[in-house]
Amino acid sequence: MDVIDGRTINETSASKKMLIASQGSAYKNDIVDGIIDQLKNNDIYIKIIDVTTLNTIEVDEWDAFLIMHTFEIWEPQQDAATFLETFYDKEKMVV
């Protein structure tokens, strides 16, 4: 799976903050682009990162998370699995 380049949408001063962690694939990129198209005109700061950098995130700084990763041989991507084992919150996260 490819590593994606991080990017941000809107200002950090927005009233809500959403983190999208993904891996590089045409399908996942299309999903991320669609979400951005739907939300970019709202007062939401969106940060897109690669799942391999989830260990650098301060969880309490975010209102919502979308984590998209690949399962290979029935195992989740290790960085995503570790993050979710430690911080999973069903009120804030979609996996």
Side-chain angles (χ1 to χ4, degrees):
M1 196 61 41
D2 294 332
V3 174
I4 64 169
D5 293 326
R7 58 184 166 142
T8 60
I9 309 300
N10 296 330
E11 299 296 322
T12 58
S13 60
S15 64
K16 298 290 182 186
K17 294 178 175 53
M18 178 181 189
L19 180 77
I20 299 174
S22 187
Q23 293 178 289
S25 76
Y27 177 70
K28 289 180 187 77
N29 293 343
D30 286 347
I31 292 172
V32 170
D33 290 343
I35 290 168
I36 290 168
D37 285 345
Q38 290 293 313
L39 299 177
K40 67 184 175 189
N41 294 323
N42 295 302
D43 189 28
I44 302 171
Y45 172 67
I46 304 168
K47 183 173 185 176
I48 299 99
I49 63 169
D50 191 84
V51 293
T52 59
T53 62
L54 276 169
N55 63 340
T56 66
I57 297 304
E58 292 292 332
V59 175
D60 294 335
E61 293 179 4
W62 301 95
D63 298 299
F65 295 83
L66 172 61
I67 302 171
M68 297 186 297
H69 61 88
T70 300
F71 272 76
E72 293 182 8
I73 313 172
W74 300 104
E75 295 292 327
Q77 194 278 345
Q78 187 59 49
D79 300 288
T82 300
F83 181 83
L84 292 169
E85 287 169 6
T86 306
F87 299 111
Y88 181 71
D89 179 347
K90 68 180 181 179
E91 300 296 320
K92 294 171 70 171
M93 296 183 186
V94 175
V95 181

